[in-house]
Amino acid sequence: MAIIVQKFGGTSVGSLERIEAVAEQIIQTKSRGHQVVAVLSAMSGETNRLLDLAHQLDANPSPRELDMLLASGEQVSISLLAMALIKRGYSAVSLLANQIGLRTNNRFNKARIKYIDNTRMLTELQQGHVVIVAGFQGCDDEGNVTTLGRGGSDTSAVAIAASLQAKECQIFTDVDGVYTTDPRIEAQAKKLDQVSFEEMLEMASSGAKVLHSRSVEFAGAHKMPLRVLSSFKSGSGTKINFNEANLTNNPVTAIASQKDEAMLTLFGISNDSLLKKELFLALAEADIEVDMIQQASINHKSNDLIFTLHRNDYLKADEIVNGLIRSNLLDKSCGDDKLVKMSLIGSGIRSNTKVSRQLFECLHENNIELFLISSSEIKISFLVKPQVHDLLVKALHQKFKLDQ
Ligand code: ADP
Ligand code: ASP
Ligand code: MG
């Protein structure tokens, strides 16, 4: 009997009707002879509602208490799903992260999974129960409740699937697979029947919300078969393929966007190595992740440095930079906390020299200004203003013939 892990996101458990539909879906999988572990998100809107409550009380809530609050959303959905299965005559048990020994480090709000003790889950499965686990949450070594970052239930599901050596981890969501770009922005977006692991990893880490990026990392590390499917309609969804690179002739496979980006520019850096040491140490201590970094030397005496980060960290980073100005390590700085990072992703980019030319053509044709650009083997990322984002997605989608 194989174990299948099925993860249901917020919209998929967004109402009692949806929870009843998920119960039916699990029964179908069981009737095919599988043991099922379901991993759930909170009902749609719930995590945002809790976050909003916290921020009404305190603009900067205690990270520990925030995790205690946010983790409560998943407790509601798992218990309701267990009730729906029990009502139908199936035995089911809902379990919180600490009850399945899902240990994380203690970085509240963005904790990382260290290990999972699968004993309890295996015992429950052997007794014929459907195991229903709260996604998104974990437990640190001191027993504190932690959360894995927004969208983290995908990562819970893949980690649980890996620890149980499941046959497949199925991510059920509100779209029927992974598309060439967010189908809510570009109606011409095409569903991909399969996508290579390396492309999926780049898509997820560049903002394609359909999979939490760490879930793809986990799948890669454990070679866990991963599939994205709709909980609203049947179909085979999108398979994440570990064996082959993408087989299409198109150099670009997908366009992904990361909203909520910010950029800081530091001018007139005299002692470059000291500045970088102080800056990156202070940013790391403040738990601020830096994304793109670029440096320009205007003359041989001083440098300028540009870096990007998440908008939520902008004020903290700006304070750090102001401290460095006061210490005379640089002359001045400027920034913008309302930018979008767009990325063209495709394993064909590495061997195709035309992609950047076509990108710049498209920007020129649409009179769009670009702020910062960086490229890696299979990705080209650049920053734009939010106002031009949707138009540019459509224009690039057409330019790179992603609808064909
Ligand atoms: P869930 O609540 O099920 O975890 P999410 O909202 O986190 O669902 O992710 C699904 C959403 O991801 C879709 O509704 C879609 O708008 C968005 N999305 C962004 N990029 C893509 C893409 N390339 N393919 C499919 N969906 C995408
Ligand atoms: N409920 C959490 C969130 O809204 C986790 C998840 O849905 O994956 O971010
Ligand atoms: Mg999600």
Side-chain angles (χ1 to χ4, degrees):
M1 232 190 212
I3 299 174
I4 303 271
V5 173
Q6 301 189 317
K7 179 259 170 178
F8 296 91
T11 324
S12 307
V13 294
S15 63
L16 288 180
E17 291 71 34
R18 292 301 316 152
I19 288 176
E20 305 253 23
V22 166
E24 293 294 341
Q25 163 96 48
I26 290 172
I27 290 168
Q28 266 184 35
T29 311
K30 250 186 104 60
S31 69
R32 284 187 219 113
H34 299 304
Q35 292 178 315
V36 182
V37 175
V39 178
L40 264 52
S41 293
M43 295 169 80
S44 62
E46 180 61 7
T47 311
N48 284 344
R49 187 186 73 84
L50 295 168
L51 202 54
D52 190 49
L53 278 179
H55 284 115
Q56 278 181 44
L57 199 87
D58 182 352
N60 198 11
S62 146
R64 181 193 181 279
E65 300 312 325
L66 192 60
D67 274 357
M68 184 64 113
L69 178 72
L70 296 189
S72 69
E74 274 69 13
Q75 186 165 349
V76 174
S77 55
I78 57 167
S79 48
L80 288 171
L81 177 61
M83 288 175 201
L85 281 160
I86 293 165
K87 182 177 82 173
R88 285 167 170 77
Y90 287 80
S91 52
V93 59
S94 60
L95 296 168
L96 297 171
N98 68 334
Q99 294 173 299
I100 61 152
L102 191 153
R103 279 291 169 87
T104 68
N105 63 12
N106 61 2
R107 285 178 72 196
F108 295 112
N109 315 155
K110 41 181 157 182
R112 285 187 176 250
I113 298 175
K114 294 203 293 190
Y115 64 85
I116 300 175
D117 176 359
N118 62 17
T119 323
R120 174 82 190 264
M121 285 189 290
L122 286 175
T123 310
E124 299 287 356
L125 287 171
Q126 272 149 20
Q127 289 171 359
H129 301 152
V130 174
V131 174
I132 306 168
V133 182
F136 179 53
Q137 53 178 257
C139 174
D140 75 5
D141 290 341
E142 268 85 59
N144 296 302
V145 174
T146 56
T147 67
L148 308 178
R150 296 305 306 271
S153 299
D154 299 333
T155 300
S156 313
V158 179
I160 287 168
S163 90
L164 294 168
Q165 296 181 315
K167 186 172 173 225
E168 187 169 78
C169 181
Q170 304 174 339
I171 307 289
F172 285 90
T173 183
D174 54 7
V175 284
D176 59 349
V178 178
Y179 278 69
T180 47
T181 194
D182 189 339
R184 298 191 195 285
I185 291 175
E186 170 53 292
Q188 302 303 316
K190 219 175 105 185
K191 182 174 91 69
L192 302 162
D193 291 335
Q194 51 178 311
V195 60
S196 75
F197 162 72
E198 57 168 3
E199 288 173 327
M200 191 65 240
L201 189 59
E202 292 290 5
M203 284 173 74
S205 62
S206 306
K209 194 171 155 227
V210 64
L211 283 178
H212 194 237
S213 67
R214 257 179 279 135
S215 71
V216 187
E217 282 171 28
F218 253 102
H222 299 273
K223 291 281 175 295
M224 172 48 57
L226 185 60
R227 193 180 284 277
V228 176
L229 306 125
S230 165
S231 65
F232 292 79
K233 61 175 191 185
S234 56
S236 54
T238 301
K239 185 173 186 271
I240 314 306
N241 193 340
F242 293 104
N243 304 319
E244 303 155 59
N246 204 355
L247 300 170
T248 67
N249 291 327
N250 204 335
V252 176
T253 302
I255 305 167
S257 307
Q258 188 112 48
K259 304 208 165 138
D260 305 327
E261 283 283 305
M263 177 171 85
L264 268 163
T265 309
L266 281 50
F267 299 102
I269 300 164
S270 45
N271 187 337
D272 185 52
S273 60
L274 181 62
L275 177 278
K276 278 194 196 132
K277 182 178 136 269
E278 298 286 326
L279 173 69
F280 291 111
L281 183 72
L283 292 172
E285 273 171 3
D287 213 8
I288 297 174
E289 281 171 26
V290 172
D291 184 11
M292 298 155 92
I293 305 177
Q294 253 175 45
Q295 186 154 22
S297 177
I298 304 300
N299 53 48
H300 292 295
K301 287 193 193 119
S302 76
N303 283 319
D304 295 342
L305 183 76
I306 308 175
F307 63 91
T308 66
L309 64 164
H310 193 278
R311 181 179 301 164
N312 290 352
D313 290 328
Y314 180 77
L315 286 180
K316 262 195 287 176
D318 196 38
E319 264 171 43
I320 290 172
V321 169
N322 285 332
L324 297 172
I325 295 176
R326 286 192 295 275
S327 311
N328 294 321
L329 284 169
L330 66 139
D331 291 342
K332 56 182 181 174
S333 71
C334 75
D336 189 337
D337 68 346
K338 284 183 191 59
L339 291 167
V340 178
K341 184 176 84 173
M342 291 181 61
S343 301
L344 298 173
I345 294 143
S347 26
I349 290 179
R350 57 162 75 94
S351 55
N352 191 308
T353 49
K354 285 195 219 136
V355 178
S356 357
R357 194 198 73 203
Q358 286 174 292
L359 164 64
F360 284 110
E361 258 171 29
C362 194
L363 289 163
H364 179 70
E365 283 156 13
N366 292 281
N367 202 13
I368 290 173
E369 192 187 0
L370 169 158
F371 290 90
L372 193 62
I373 181 160
S374 75
S375 62
S376 64
E377 271 228 303
I378 66 161
K379 181 169 83 168
I380 301 180
S381 300
F382 44 93
L383 292 177
V384 293
K385 289 273 185 200
Q387 307 83 280
V388 301
H389 171 261
D390 290 8
L391 183 143
L392 188 54
V393 168
K394 289 174 195 291
L396 287 168
H397 201 269
Q398 206 174 20
K399 186 88 176 168
F400 289 102
K401 301 187 170 47
L402 295 184
D403 50 349
Q404 287 169 26

